[in-house]
Amino acid sequence: MTAQTLPPVDTLIVVDVQSAFVTGDGAVPDAARLVDRTAVLLARARAAGALVVHLQNDGPPGAEDEPHTPGWELHHPVVPGPAEAVVRKPYDDGFRETGLGDLLAGHGTRGVAVCGVMSEMCVQATARTALERGYRVVVPFDAHATQDCPAVPGVADAVPAAVVSRVAAYALGSDAEVTAPAAAVSFIVPGAPGDGVRGSAA
């Protein structure tokens, strides 16, 4: 897969790139890489006039992402405007009990690139619902991340974060495009011709 063969998408969904998950002791492994790749995707989407959606997780009281605590804050600055929005969410799935579905429908979204944290939880859940709703879904393999899965004595050994991320993406099935890097993802304005149909570049 190359940047020349991957059709563009019209919407970028940045999942939970919040301070608690990309800075300090609670950061995902290789957080610098994740921040770099998501920043590249943000810059490219904005330059193309694509819709940009920042999902922001509202953790429970005492959690590292409890609302209005330092860890809850979005790491990437939001650029105010009609093509960029923040959607707060109480569950892993960014569509569940939020305005995300209406937002995408209102902009005429046909294809989404999904990036952020955590691969096997909020990224996968949001991407899966996007697939179920008929959107073309691209999950750049180097633009989502998670934590190591700890060992459970007598049950399983530890699983490195990179393996967890890879399995989480592949578990989305053949309709999702999960082998392209962030560098291969391009964007267009929602409603413009040229967005590939779902699965055309898998």
Side-chain angles (χ1 to χ4, degrees), residues 15-99:
V15 182
D16 301 350
V17 180
Q18 294 165 248
S19 294
F21 308 131
V22 296
T23 63
D25 294 340
V28 296
D30 203 10
R33 183 263 305 166
L34 175 70
V35 168
D36 175 75
R37 300 300 190 276
T38 52
V40 167
L41 289 169
L42 278 165
R44 194 174 297 145
R46 288 165 175 157
L51 175 64
V52 173
V53 182
H54 302 263
L55 295 184
Q56 186 173 27
N57 196 67
D58 287 347
E64 55 190 354
D65 58 348
E66 179 183 352
H68 310 297
T69 64
W72 173 79
E73 298 295 335
L74 293 172
H75 184 77
H76 295 298
V78 177
V79 177
E84 189 150 348
V86 176
V87 174
R88 293 173 58 178
K89 64 183 186 63
Y91 300 104
D92 285 359
D93 183 357
F95 288 90
R96 183 180 174 187
E97 297 183 18
T98 73

Side-chain angles (χ1 to χ4, degrees), residues 9-11 51 100-112 135 188-193 195:
V9 292
D10 52 36
T11 298
L51 175 64
L100 180 60
D102 289 339
L103 180 64
L104 300 190
H107 280 79
T109 293
R110 292 183 293 172
V112 299
Y135 293 111
I188 55 174
V189 175
D195 187 9

